[in-house]
Amino acid sequence: MLVLLPPSEGKAASGRGAPLKPESLSLPGLAAAREAVLAELVDLCTGDEDKAREVLGLSEGLRGEVAKNTELRTAGARPAREIYTGVLYDALDLASLGTAAKRRAAGSLLVFSGLWGAVRVTDRIPSYRCSMGVRLPGLGALSGHWRAPMAEVLPEAAGGGLVLDLRSAAYAAAWKPKGEVAGRTATVRVLHAPTRKVVSHFNKATKGRIVRSLLTAGTAPEDPAGLVEALRDLGYEVEATAPAKPGTAWALDVLVTEVH
């Protein structure tokens, strides 16, 4: 099972240990694309600060994020599981998982990123600010920049099993499973059961809990139909829509009664 996650906008501070070693990151086929984004991002943030804030979509109160990006090559790096924070990652709470569940997380979770493309939760990275919605002056829209290298690398990473896609739209734009990979991919929405409306905050929390439940239970469904069964066994109310045509993903709606 491969689980595709969005990153968090807010991130923990970089560590004081060894700096980034780009060659050590997972998915080495993304190395050239990573270096292109890293080089332009550092150059942008080392220059005109106001321009950098505008490009990155940062408010005045987030001015310090620009300075953070200037030190990406020298700042201490930490495992990605410690860098990403926020609602989804709080609910997932990787640090409190047991040994076996942490091992499953290391092998199955893939976090998408405007800067790195995608990383494993064990990859050591510095704290940064660069969302997938950014359009860098030299590279253009990052979702477009990542599309070709992702298309080369991600099908192999997906292997032959289930792909559970929990990404937001901006990050899903960087790689859309196609062909037979799409047929074993499941996307998830979280709906308020009484109203059938999509929820926002609770959407992220529920997705984090779903992943935690699967990791803790040691459940490894092989396809979307198996995922539906596994989630129902774990106590989730799930409605599933199978693909109407080949080459498209399953759509799963997880229904919640409380929005918190």
Side-chain angles (χ1 to χ4, degrees):
M1 179 174 66
L2 183 68
V3 182
L4 311 181
L5 297 174
S8 56
E9 287 300 313
K11 299 173 183 67
S14 294
R16 294 185 177 181
L20 170 72
K21 295 181 179 179
E23 69 277 6
S24 72
L25 297 179
S26 302
L27 308 178
L30 299 179
R34 286 172 177 148
E35 176 56 31
V37 180
L38 179 60
E40 183 166 352
L41 183 61
V42 171
D43 184 64
L44 171 71
C45 293
T46 304
D48 186 325
E49 186 179 88
D50 289 332
K51 178 182 178 182
R53 282 201 303 112
E54 181 181 355
V55 170
L56 297 176
L58 302 177
S59 65
E60 175 67 30
L62 294 174
R63 184 176 290 271
E65 299 291 280
V66 175
K68 177 193 294 185
N69 284 346
T70 66
E71 300 174 349
L72 287 172
R73 295 189 189 275
T74 58
R78 299 167 61 182
R81 64 175 178 268
E82 299 176 11
I83 292 292
Y84 294 114
T85 59
V87 175
L88 187 153
Y89 291 92
D90 286 347
L92 177 51
D93 195 9
L94 289 168
S96 70
L97 291 175
T99 301
K102 284 181 177 176
R103 184 169 59 249
R104 287 189 282 271
S108 63
L109 305 188
L110 201 61
V111 183
F112 275 62
S113 163
L115 173 53
W116 314 116
V119 293
R120 301 283 185 184
V121 294
T122 50
D123 285 334
R124 296 179 63 84
I125 58 174
S127 186
Y128 67 96
R129 191 66 174 241
C130 184
S131 71
M132 190 64 79
V134 164
R135 179 181 292 273
L136 291 175
L139 295 177
L142 288 179
S143 58
H145 170 76
W146 285 112
R147 206 161 288 140
M150 289 284 193
E152 290 289 329
V153 172
L154 267 294
E156 181 179 354
L162 169 71
V163 178
L164 174 54
D165 190 353
L166 302 179
R167 297 171 297 167
S168 56
Y171 292 89
W175 180 61
K176 182 179 180 179
K178 297 183 182 298
E180 63 89 19
V181 178
R184 48 187 167 87
T185 297
T187 62
V188 173
R189 294 190 308 174
V190 179
L191 303 182
H192 185 217
T195 64
R196 284 304 197 272
K197 291 183 178 180
V198 176
V199 294
S200 54
H201 175 93
F202 198 62
N203 167 63
K204 296 176 182 179
T206 300
K207 287 178 177 179
R209 292 180 187 126
I210 285 172
V211 177
R212 182 179 178 86
S213 296
L214 292 170
L215 294 173
T216 301
T219 303
E222 297 181 356
D223 54 35
L227 174 64
V228 173
E229 182 178 349
L231 290 177
R232 288 173 176 164
D233 288 345
L234 289 168
Y236 294 94
E237 184 178 354
V238 183
E239 296 178 349
T241 303
K245 58 182 180 180
T248 55
W250 284 60
L252 273 56
D253 288 338
V254 176
L255 306 180
V256 297
T257 56
E258 297 181 5
V259 181
H260 60 78

